[in-house]
Amino acid sequence: MVNVGLGLCTPCLGRVRVARSWQDGISPFRKLPTLRPHPASLRTRISTRYIQSQEFKPFVPPSPDSLPKPAPPRIYRRTRRWTRRLLYLALALGVAYEVDKYLLYSSLMRSARTFWLGLLVGVDYKINFRAHPPLADSIQALHTRNAERLSELLRTNGGLYLKIGQAIAMQSAILPPEFQTMFSKMFDDAPQDDWKDAERVIFEDFGKTPEELFGISFSGEPGKGVMERTARASASVAQVHWARLPDGREVAVKIQKREIATQVGWDLWTFKVVARIYSWWFGIPLYSMVPYISERLLLETDFVNEANNSEKMAKLVAGESRLRGRVYIPKIYRDLSSKRVMTAEWIEGVRLWDKETLTRPWQGRWRQGSPGCRGAPLDAPDGRTVAEVIRNHPSQEHLKPNRDWWKGVNGKGGLGVSLRDTMQTMVDLFSAQMFLWGCCHCDPHPGNIFIRRLPSGKPELVLIDHGLYVQMQPEFRHQYSLFWKSLMTFDNKTIGEIVRSWGINNADVFASATLMRPYTGGDGSTSAGIKRTMSMAEQQERAYEMQQQMRKGIKDILADEKKWPRELIFIGRNMRIVQGNNQYLGAPVNRIKIMGNWASRSLVDSPDLSYGAKLLNLGRHMLFKIVMFSTDVIFYSSKVAQFFGRKSNLEDDVEASMKKMVQNMGFELNHSVFEG
């Protein structure tokens, strides 16, 4: 059947209806209403047929010539340009990283890490250092998290950063207790470098291998010396190897770590930049100390300087009758030393921190000293045994013989020396360095002090590691001696004159910091001012005010940066460590009295004073001795109380009173900073 109106048959008409239904959104499968027959008039109109007269032609694609020209492709020039830049940047960063890692020993990465952390810490303090920190629970929490950040930085960077951290820790009183706790855990130790790196340092400095330089053999050749390739000790800058030369001398070979020479310049530059920014940012005049500290740290990496200091100290000790025979400085072998390698006499002894071994009964022979005392040659090991160990156990690195026969068969013996004599020698030595010679060893921690037993049963103190020294000018040394003497006699007028000449505005605080105990002879203006400002009851606000007062105290001490003696930075470290040593051993001596006596006596014995000045100072010294009798009364009263069961000693009492005074100033002293 054909639809005349549309010219379509019935099936085609159905398909058209389906298509139109889809277009109109109506499903073609829905049930349609029944069609009713159309009226006759409509049937007549629909029955009309229209026939298409055009010829059927199949679909033919248009020819390419008839099509319009194609549009040019869109080029993303900016995207391509930035892609190239990113690729070049990634390539440059990769090359820089490899160069920094293998040629500069990660110096650039260490500096970048330091700058980033410095910025982070600085912003943190700028935002949160207030009575009620917006992004911290308290000021203590602020200090704790930044101390942890700094600790992680120092440990990650290692090397000279540990030395810089120790230099900052010298003035422990100006640091919050959270930072002091962090510094107390920061020991100057590090993993040792591989022997190949140590061997390269020796070859670069001498043009010889260790076998050629020291005359040793690692295979046990007869007539040759021996050397351990595994270091006996390793610190941040160098490591120490034991060796026995062909002539029988046993030596300690101190070899600087190979990366230090490259890193030191970058590290000190970074330290200066960060200190400069912080001094400006926080308004604390600390940058003036940085060049002096950097210079001292740089000299620590120069072993020629260390050898010079060691030999100078040996001559000074030998020329002082009060110390000759009680103090020993190891010999330096110049022909086997350079700027990065130092060969010194090997020392057998007991470290100062081993109090138990120092005091246990002596089990050696009567009138016999411990091995090496007074520089006596050490007994030679059995050559056949050493050669056999090398041949049969090539990986065995501990070739040095044990010389602990003085401990007895059961191994429970000791040196049997007096702790009082030991500390007396130590305080005498460092007092002579400060007040008489003006040449002060500034790192006398227990690891740098050995104790040996003399045939007389007295202790012999051996001082090593002479890299960090302060050379005091005669004028400053005389002033410092007079300052100490005036502290003992409460001569406030002289104290004020001296500290003002050093550019210090607060004599009370500086006097207390010098004595390591509260100075009670001043006018008390500092404590009175503190009490007036500490009237707030709220704990957070009081803590904030305390630390603001501490900041002001630092500015008072460093009032005139140009006049402030830089030597005081390191001298204070020496005195603090010596106080900690005395405290650790039970305060067997009156340290303050001994130092005061040396200060007064040095004004008589100093070779650069005129005879008239010496004679005048001698009379004053005799008067000083009478005045100092009162300190003996206090000292022996403390010893009697300790004998009857009192647990604290004089140094503990001094420290407790010092802490009580400075806590109101926002300070907190912690001697454990220097125990490492």
Side-chain angles (χ1 to χ4, degrees):
M1 180 177 178
V2 177
N3 187 308
V4 179
L6 297 177
L8 298 173
C9 62
T10 300
C12 293
L13 182 61
R15 286 193 291 270
V16 170
R17 286 175 177 173
V18 170
R20 287 178 177 176
S21 299
W22 280 115
Q23 291 175 357
D24 296 337
I26 302 174
S27 174
F29 303 105
R30 67 182 178 87
K31 186 176 180 180
L32 298 175
T34 305
L35 296 176
R36 298 178 182 180
H38 296 285
S41 59
L42 186 60
R43 284 200 304 269
T44 303
R45 184 172 59 83
I46 294 176
S47 64
T48 305
R49 181 179 181 182
Y50 298 94
I51 300 174
Q52 186 176 358
S53 61
Q54 295 179 355
E55 181 183 358
F56 172 77
K57 292 182 180 181
F59 175 77
V60 178
S63 64
D65 294 336
S66 65
L67 297 175
K69 293 183 179 181
R74 186 175 180 181
I75 301 175
Y76 297 91
R77 299 183 183 278
R78 182 178 298 177
T79 303
R80 294 174 63 181
R81 185 165 59 248
W82 279 103
T83 302
R84 284 197 303 268
R85 290 174 179 175
L86 290 176
L87 289 175
Y88 293 153
L89 178 62
L91 180 62
L93 290 175
V95 172
Y97 175 79
E98 294 298 318
V99 170
D100 180 49
K101 181 177 180 181
Y102 294 103
L103 296 181
L104 300 179
Y105 298 98
S106 300
S107 297
L108 295 178
M109 182 63 69
R110 289 149 58 91
S111 299
R113 192 182 295 123
T114 303
F115 286 133
W116 165 248
L117 184 75
L119 177 62
L120 180 63
V121 172
V123 171
D124 196 7
Y125 272 105
K126 272 292 184 183
I127 295 174
N128 295 302
F129 188 67
R130 57 199 68 214
H132 301 283
L135 300 178
D137 295 335
S138 63
I139 294 179
Q140 290 74 19
L142 174 67
H143 289 325
T144 298
R145 72 187 181 198
N146 285 299
E148 291 173 353
R149 289 168 178 166
L150 182 56
S151 175
E152 183 63 26
L153 173 72
L154 297 175
R155 294 181 185 279
T156 302
N157 284 355
L160 203 65
Y161 276 79
L162 293 177
K163 292 288 185 183
I164 293 173
Q166 291 170 355
I168 296 172
M170 290 174 191
Q171 302 301 320
S172 65
I174 68 174
L175 297 174
E178 293 79 11
F179 281 85
Q180 295 181 31
T181 302
M182 181 271 293
F183 280 120
S184 69
K185 300 175 182 178
M186 189 185 64
F187 301 107
D188 186 16
D189 57 2
Q192 60 179 276
D193 281 2
D194 190 76
W195 170 249
K196 292 182 180 179
D197 292 328
E199 201 171 22
R200 287 183 65 181
V201 171
I202 294 175
F203 188 80
E204 289 170 0
D205 277 24
F206 293 95
K208 298 179 181 180
T209 64
E211 293 90 336
E212 296 170 340
L213 179 64
F214 298 108
I216 60 171
S217 170
F218 292 109
S219 59
E221 292 182 34
K224 296 281 189 177
V226 293
M227 185 175 185
E228 293 179 347
R229 284 176 284 200
T230 300
R232 286 275 170 169
S234 178
S236 57
V237 172
Q239 57 192 43
V240 178
H241 296 258
W242 174 87
R244 186 176 181 88
L245 304 181
D247 58 7
R249 291 176 295 170
E250 290 191 17
V251 296
V253 183
K254 185 176 181 179
I255 305 173
Q256 188 177 118
K257 295 184 176 179
R258 194 164 181 267
E259 64 272 15
I260 294 298
T262 304
Q263 292 176 348
V264 62
W266 287 96
D267 292 348
L268 291 178
W269 174 78
T270 304
F271 172 52
K272 290 179 180 179
V273 172
V274 172
R276 184 76 170 185
I277 294 173
Y278 270 38
S279 297
W280 165 76
W281 202 355
F282 294 102
I284 300 177
L286 294 176
Y287 181 74
S288 60
M289 304 179 190
V290 171
Y292 187 79
I293 294 175
S294 299
E295 181 186 354
R296 298 299 103 191
L297 293 176
L298 187 61
L299 286 174
E300 272 201 271
T301 64
D302 183 356
F303 292 170
V304 174
N305 171 71
E306 182 173 349
N308 292 338
N309 291 336
S310 181
E311 291 180 344
K312 180 178 181 180
M313 186 53 55
K315 292 179 181 177
L316 291 172
V317 169
E320 175 54 56
S321 60
R322 289 169 286 185
L323 294 171
R324 191 186 309 122
R326 300 167 59 199
V327 177
Y328 188 84
I329 308 297
K331 299 183 182 71
I332 303 296
Y333 301 108
R334 290 280 189 170
D335 56 329
L336 301 176
S337 300
S338 66
K339 190 171 183 178
R340 294 189 295 167
V341 179
M342 189 180 75
T343 305
E345 175 185 1
W346 180 266
I347 297 298
E348 293 279 354
V350 178
R351 302 274 188 177
L352 185 67
W353 60 53
D354 193 355
K355 181 166 59 173
E356 191 174 351
T357 304
L358 292 176
T359 55
R360 282 176 180 171
W362 172 255
Q363 296 194 17
R365 294 194 301 271
W366 184 67
R367 302 294 295 179
Q368 182 184 28
S370 60
C373 68
R374 289 181 176 170
L378 297 170
D379 53 297
D382 189 346
R384 290 175 298 178
T385 302
V386 172
E388 183 180 349
V389 168
I390 293 176
R391 285 194 302 268
N392 299 334
H393 305 281
S395 61
Q396 173 67 32
E397 287 295 337
H398 296 291
L399 305 175
K400 187 184 80 66
N402 292 324
R403 299 184 175 93
D404 55 358
W405 47 263
W406 47 271
K407 292 185 178 181
V409 179
N410 57 9
K412 295 183 179 181
L415 293 182
V417 297
S418 165
L419 295 181
R420 183 182 183 280
D421 291 342
T422 301
M423 274 310 306
Q424 178 77 39
T425 301
M426 183 188 303
V427 178
D428 283 344
L429 171 62
F430 294 120
S431 297
Q433 290 181 354
M434 287 183 202
F435 303 120
L436 185 60
W437 303 327
C439 180
C440 185
H441 187 297
C442 298
D443 198 18
H445 65 77
N448 286 338
I449 297 174
F450 287 90
I451 304 299
R452 299 190 295 206
R453 179 187 171 96
L454 295 170
S456 62
K458 296 288 186 179
E460 180 185 48
L461 187 147
V462 183
L463 184 63
I464 66 171
D465 195 357
H466 299 263
L468 184 58
Y469 266 68
V470 166
Q471 309 294 334
M472 303 163 65
Q473 295 298 322
E475 181 181 359
F476 170 70
R477 177 168 53 84
H478 295 157
Q479 284 184 326
Y480 194 65
S481 300
L482 183 58
F483 174 72
W484 254 90
K485 179 180 177 181
S486 301
L487 290 176
M488 300 292 99
T489 57
F490 298 119
D491 186 354
N492 296 320
K493 181 180 178 181
T494 303
I495 292 172
E497 291 174 354
I498 293 174
V499 298
R500 279 193 296 273
S501 70
W502 293 344
I504 298 171
N505 287 344
N506 197 321
D508 286 0
V509 173
F510 184 72
S512 299
T514 302
L515 285 172
M516 302 294 172
R517 73 176 190 185
Y519 178 66
T520 57
D523 57 10
S525 58
T526 301
S527 58
I530 292 168
K531 291 177 181 178
R532 284 195 299 271
T533 59
M534 297 300 153
S535 58
M536 299 180 181
E538 207 276 320
Q539 186 175 1
Q540 291 284 356
E541 294 182 1
R542 186 175 186 274
Y544 176 71
E545 290 294 336
M546 287 167 60
Q547 298 195 27
Q548 286 291 86
Q549 189 70 22
M550 178 192 72
R551 184 175 173 181
K552 181 178 180 298
I554 296 173
K555 290 184 176 181
D556 287 342
I557 293 178
L558 303 175
D560 192 337
E561 299 178 65
K562 295 180 180 179
K563 294 181 180 179
W564 205 82
R566 305 297 185 264
E567 296 89 345
L568 292 174
I569 303 172
F570 293 92
I571 291 173
R573 171 180 169 84
N574 175 291
M575 290 194 300
R576 186 60 179 152
I577 297 177
V578 172
Q579 184 205 21
N581 293 340
N582 191 35
Q583 191 170 0
Y584 173 72
L585 296 181
V589 298
N590 188 343
R591 173 185 58 88
I592 294 176
K593 179 198 171 184
I594 296 172
M595 294 186 69
N597 187 62
W598 273 92
S600 179
R601 182 68 190 183
S602 67
L603 296 173
V604 180
D605 297 336
S606 181
D608 46 21
L609 290 175
S610 64
Y611 287 106
K614 288 183 178 182
L615 185 61
L616 179 62
N617 289 333
L618 179 60
R620 292 173 176 172
H621 176 65
M622 300 306 296
L623 180 62
F624 173 81
K625 295 284 286 184
I626 297 172
V627 173
M628 288 303 294
F629 176 75
S630 60
T631 65
D632 284 336
V633 175
I634 298 173
F635 173 73
Y636 286 111
S637 298
S638 174
K639 298 301 288 184
V640 170
Q642 192 176 354
F643 176 78
F644 284 105
R646 187 182 180 188
K647 294 184 179 180
S648 63
N649 54 54
L650 181 60
E651 292 287 7
D652 292 331
D653 295 340
V654 166
E655 173 131 338
S657 58
M658 185 68 175
K659 284 183 177 180
K660 183 177 180 180
M661 184 195 79
V662 299
Q663 275 176 351
N664 286 331
M665 299 173 60
F667 295 35
E668 184 160 335
L669 295 178
N670 183 358
H671 83 277
S672 62
V673 169
F674 305 107
E675 285 181 351

